[in-house]
Amino acid sequence: METKQELQQAELNELVLPELKNFKTTPTLVAEALRNGILKGVIRSGQTLRQEELAATFGVSRIPVREAFRQLEAEGLIKIYPHRGAVVSSLSAFEVQELFEIRVPLETTALRLAIPNMTVLDLQKAARILDLADREEASGRWGELNWDFHASLYAPAARPRLLAMLVNLEQNVDRYMRLVLTGLDYQQHSQAEHRELLAACRDKDIEKAVALLTGHIEAAGQKLTAYLRQSEEPKPV
Amino acid sequence: METKQELQQAELNELVLPELKNFKTTPTLVAEALRNGILKGVIRSGQTLRQEELAATFGVSRIPVREAFRQLEAEGLIKIYPHRGAVVSSLSAFEVQELFEIRVPLETTALRLAIPNMTVLDLQKAARILDLADREEASGRWGELNWDFHASLYAPAARPRLLAMLVNLEQNVDRYMRLVLTGLDYQQHSQAEHRELLAACRDKDIEKAVALLTGHIEAAGQKLTAYLRQSEEPKPV
DNA sequence: AATTGTAAAATTGGATACAATATCCATCAT
DNA sequence: ATGATGGATATTGTATCCAATTTTACAATT
């Protein structure tokens, strides 16, 4: 009797706790708005974020804005310079390269853990995303679907913390990646690699899948860093 | 003349010192204090952090405390429950295992990148830390030196972002690791593994070093999760 | 006696106002 | 033109107030 009640209590608690987290407070909402703005390119790299201005546009006071700043800084999206303001962090070619160097071992780890857990449904979902991406080549949504595909492969790993880190890393390079993604040839090449990768997952061939994923991420990194390096070349005076 | 100037310099330096301290803003200082408190075990897992109480003890207002909360939450050290307060996050055995699963690929990546860059000085420094750790077996400082050794191996990689991620991961498991580190047999075993690892680095044998490091981290993870699992067994009345 | 309902206290969330400090920028003298 | 100076601007931090929510305590009902 009592044990049953205790079990129910434990179950309910686990259901309620994440629910409480979902109560979004103003700082969280502001942080989400700013994050979206940064990721969608509405707020550009290097732009300074003025507390009062943002507070006015969001219709809130400065306090939630400042708390949002702290959160975004911890995520690496902005950088707070004391008494000078917060600026959207801009990454150098070297820093982008470092992020890709981190992504390779982390994403392959996620994939390794995921493949044994992949169900037919998981594979179907990933395939559906790829088909969707084919039809969205022109629009800006392709980049989003690109990540959705990757995320759908890692989800079966059931490692929330690892996935959160990957999402964060992706967000940090996403703004820059858009510059490269515009090329249609890259999209088609990437889609082909995705299909190869998905096939390897379907065959449960972990080593092949990992090798493909490694090459895929490294290629994207090379493309992006090359682009950034040439953009950085023209030195002022 | 010169003495006068030197005196002025000294005076100016004394004026500048508090200025340098001001480089860190109050929320950052509060965050550091809380982080230290959590890492050193002064603030225990599950404990709720009351804004007003902390503001009073630090002699500041609630606002910097709240900003510090946001920062620490992003680091994973605390969790903010809206309207209910912030609590020091406690990790389950599964969550600790996930963190170790992440550490392995990341730390080995750092090591791979570091070994080619290691100078004789780097190796000497690492060896010195090991010798120091031998003499600090009893004290609580051993855990600190344990990480210092690892960090000294990764530093030559010159990947600031990667190192920051590793520091954060280490901080998250550190509190729990202390429970295991108390065993003297573990310390001696760990030290032996460290010396093997250092030797491999000295030989620039990347694959051997990576294999040793992988085993070393996985063993620590196994030890800790096993401990936590048995601690979690006894269910609270 | 146990459960339910309600009111009050405590705590957090947020806004406004104000003081202090640092930075930026235009002006001025050399 | 160059560098210093002072004010404008922006950020930081604090205090005070009120709203919202949670928790606690107490009363009421069954």
Side-chain angles (χ1 to χ4, degrees), chain A residues 5 9 16 32 57 78 82 87 89 101 103 117 136 143 149 208:
Chain A
Q5 277 191 0
Q9 282 254 340
V16 165
E32 282 178 12
T57 56
I78 72 172
V87 302
S89 54
E101 284 173 347
R103 285 181 71 171
N117 294 346
E136 297 271 0
F149 171 72
K208 188 180 177 188

Side-chain angles (χ1 to χ4, degrees), chain A residues 58-125:
Chain A
F58 288 126
V60 299
S61 79
R62 274 170 33 218
I63 285 130
V65 174
R66 292 178 52 156
E67 292 185 26
F69 278 6
R70 293 279 163 192
Q71 198 174 325
L72 293 175
E73 188 183 37
E75 292 174 22
L77 290 179
I78 72 172
K79 187 136 180 46
I80 298 174
Y81 295 97
H83 296 106
R84 294 185 62 182
V87 302
V88 180
S89 54
S90 60
L91 301 177
S92 66
F94 180 79
E95 288 171 306
V96 168
Q97 188 182 346
E98 183 183 358
L99 291 183
F100 274 92
E101 284 173 347
I102 297 169
R103 285 181 71 171
V104 169
L106 280 190
E107 298 203 21
T108 53
T109 297
L111 189 62
R112 268 182 210 282
L113 293 167
I115 288 180
N117 294 346
M118 280 184 190
T119 65
V120 178
L121 263 154
D122 291 325
L123 293 164
Q124 281 178 352
K125 190 183 166 190

Side-chain angles (χ1 to χ4, degrees), chain A residues 1-7:
Chain A
M1 287 283 221
E2 284 158 38
T3 51
K4 204 169 184 179
Q5 277 191 0
E6 280 168 28
L7 276 175

Side-chain angles (χ1 to χ4, degrees), chain B residues 102-231:
Chain B
I102 297 170
R103 286 182 70 172
V104 169
L106 279 189
E107 297 203 23
T108 53
T109 298
L111 188 63
R112 270 182 209 280
L113 293 166
I115 288 179
N117 295 346
M118 280 184 190
T119 65
V120 178
L121 262 155
D122 291 325
L123 294 164
Q124 282 176 353
K125 190 183 166 192
R128 204 155 40 231
I129 293 171
L130 281 185
D131 292 340
L132 246 148
D134 276 336
R135 278 177 247 125
E136 297 271 0
E137 265 177 351
S139 79
R141 272 209 52 175
W142 192 84
E144 202 180 317
L145 290 167
N146 177 47
W147 174 248
D148 284 349
F149 171 71
H150 281 251
S152 75
L153 293 186
Y154 310 144
R159 296 293 194 284
R161 194 93 173 223
L162 177 55
L163 197 63
M165 288 177 73
L166 291 179
V167 167
N168 179 248
L169 285 168
E170 205 276 335
Q171 284 183 346
N172 269 279
V173 297
D174 182 72
R175 288 169 290 159
Y176 299 92
M177 208 56 202
R178 283 172 195 279
L179 305 172
V180 173
L181 291 185
T182 52
L184 211 101
D185 53 339
Y186 174 78
Q187 288 183 17
Q188 285 171 354
H189 185 64
S190 172
Q191 284 285 92
E193 287 185 343
H194 281 169
R195 290 211 149 79
E196 264 194 285
L197 176 55
L198 183 56
C201 292
R202 201 176 281 121
D203 298 342
K204 305 281 181 199
D205 188 341
I206 293 182
E207 292 315 316
K208 188 179 177 188
V210 165
L212 285 170
L213 181 58
T214 300
H216 180 66
I217 298 172
E218 280 177 352
Q222 299 261 330
K223 202 128 188 161
L224 181 48
T225 50
Y227 178 90
L228 288 177
R229 255 189 291 273
Q230 79 167 19
S231 301

Side-chain angles (χ1 to χ4, degrees), chain B residues 25-27 61 63-64 83-84:
Chain B
T25 180
T26 311
S61 79
I63 285 119
H83 294 106
R84 294 188 61 181

